[in-house]
């Protein structure tokens, strides 16, 4: 089976769902943000603060292009990774792109007490979430599988993804 690549806005549950999927599939879980922090020896917040978003996106693209070459992995990407089309193109070579979605209010509730998302450290984070969702919607729609996470547990979401993946694989290679 192909790699699974989790995309979607901050707070849609990519990390937790990724963990469950990797356990079920016996795949290695790789989180691109954690890899960036490890390689740069710096938090995402500090990378944004010291070098800015564009520099972060360059680092992110470099990490993603290396991760794309691996096999039997679940890759959890940062919420803005979809913004560069080349990221999804390379990830798709060996992977199925899954996008997790949620309403702005739900995302807000999940991230409001969290300080490690530099893009949301503004006076009105809910409005910022709405703005970013609007800009990013067309990019998230490029995924192969889109899963609405509203009202679902991470286990339910993982189960739904695996069901969709099987259907997707069957439609690509019918017997
Ligand atoms: C970002 C999402 C974050 C992280 C960075 C930028 C974004 O990852 O990559 O703060 O642009 O949406 P999570 O989606 O894992 O929070």
């Amino acid at each position: 089976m192909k790699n699974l690549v989790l995309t979607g806005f901050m707070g849609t549950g990519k990390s937790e769902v990724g963990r469950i999927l990797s356990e079920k599939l016996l795949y290695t879980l790789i989180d691109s943000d954690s890899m960036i922090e490890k390689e740069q020896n710096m938090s995402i917040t500090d990378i944004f603060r010291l070098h800015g978003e564009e520099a972060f996106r360059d680092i992110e693209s470099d990490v993603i292009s290396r991760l794309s070459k691996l096999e039997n992995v679940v890759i959890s990407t940062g919420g803005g990774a979809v913004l560069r089309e080349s990221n999804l193109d390379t990830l798709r070579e060996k992977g199925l792109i899954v996008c997790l979605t949620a309403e702005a209010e739900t995302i807000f509730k999940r991230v409001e007490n969290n300080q490690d998302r530099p893009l949301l450290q503004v006076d009105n984070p809910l409005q910022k979430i709405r703005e970013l969702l609007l800009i990013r919607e067309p990019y998230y729609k490029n995924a192969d599988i889109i899963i609405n996470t509203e009202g679902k547990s991470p286990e339910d979401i993982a189960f739904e993804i695996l069901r969709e993946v099987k259907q997707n694989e069957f439609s690509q290679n019918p017997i």
Side-chain angles (χ1 to χ4, degrees), residues 3-9 12-22 29-32 64 73-79 81-82 88 91 96-100 140 143 145 147 157-158 161 165:
N3 294 333
L4 288 188
V5 179
L6 292 174
T7 66
F9 203 80
T12 50
K14 292 169 296 210
S15 304
E16 179 61 4
V17 171
R19 190 186 58 74
I20 297 169
L21 286 171
S22 68
L29 173 66
I30 304 171
D31 181 299
S32 64
I64 284 177
V73 287
V74 174
I75 303 171
S76 174
T77 62
V82 294
L88 284 197
L91 284 163
L96 266 178
I97 314 290
V98 179
C99 181
L100 304 185
Y140 290 132
I145 294 169
I147 306 280
I157 298 165
I161 291 171
V165 167

Side-chain angles (χ1 to χ4, degrees), residues 1 96 144-145 147 159-174:
M1 205 187 93
L96 266 178
D144 303 306
I145 294 169
I147 306 280
F159 185 80
E160 201 176 323
I161 291 171
L162 292 177
R163 202 180 56 209
E164 293 279 328
V165 167
K166 286 204 184 96
Q167 276 178 13
N168 189 293
E169 293 221 317
F170 181 74
S171 65
Q172 302 289 317
N173 303 298

Side-chain angles (χ1 to χ4, degrees), residues 10 14 33 44 48 56-57 60 78-80 117-119 136:
M10 297 172 256
K14 292 169 296 210
D33 279 344
I44 301 289
F48 268 76
F56 170 77
R57 298 289 170 215
E60 186 176 49
R117 269 124 173 168
L119 292 177
R136 292 178 178 187

Side-chain angles (χ1 to χ4, degrees), residues 3-166:
N3 294 333
L4 288 188
V5 179
L6 292 174
T7 66
F9 203 80
M10 297 172 256
T12 50
K14 292 169 296 210
S15 304
E16 179 61 4
V17 171
R19 190 186 58 74
I20 297 169
L21 286 171
S22 68
E23 280 172 11
K24 284 192 191 296
L25 296 168
L26 302 179
Y27 274 17
T28 304
L29 173 66
I30 304 171
D31 181 299
S32 64
D33 279 344
S34 305
M35 191 162 155
I36 291 169
E37 291 187 320
K38 211 166 149 196
E39 287 191 0
Q40 299 295 316
N41 200 17
M42 206 187 275
S43 68
I44 301 289
T45 300
D46 281 345
I47 299 174
F48 268 76
R49 188 170 54 82
L50 293 171
H51 305 295
E53 182 171 352
E54 269 314 290
F56 170 77
R57 298 289 170 215
D58 289 341
I59 299 168
E60 186 176 49
S61 294
D62 174 59
V63 163
I64 284 177
S65 83
R66 281 180 282 135
L67 292 181
S68 302
K69 298 188 173 63
L70 302 176
E71 288 180 354
N72 301 332
V73 287
V74 174
I75 303 171
S76 174
T77 62
V82 294
L83 295 170
R84 290 198 181 168
E85 223 172 308
S86 57
N87 289 342
L88 284 197
D89 288 348
T90 42
L91 284 163
R92 199 172 256 126
E93 282 169 20
K94 287 178 187 252
L96 266 178
I97 314 290
V98 179
C99 181
L100 304 185
T101 68
E103 300 297 324
E105 290 73 14
T106 309
I107 291 170
F108 176 65
K109 279 188 210 125
R110 288 186 191 157
V111 303
E112 68 179 324
N113 294 320
N114 205 305
Q115 259 91 63
D116 60 11
R117 269 124 173 168
L119 292 177
L120 301 181
Q121 304 313 304
V122 293
D123 288 344
N124 190 340
L126 178 58
Q127 188 186 324
K128 182 75 180 177
I129 291 168
R130 289 203 179 103
E131 284 168 16
L132 288 175
L133 277 175
L134 209 65
I135 295 169
R136 292 178 178 187
E137 210 184 330
Y139 298 94
Y140 290 132
K141 278 192 175 153
N142 285 330
D144 303 306
I145 294 169
I146 299 176
I147 306 280
N148 179 355
T149 65
E150 286 292 335
K152 297 173 191 163
S153 69
E155 284 77 15
D156 288 346
I157 298 165
F159 185 80
E160 201 176 323
I161 291 171
L162 292 177
R163 202 180 56 209
E164 293 279 328
V165 167
K166 286 204 184 96

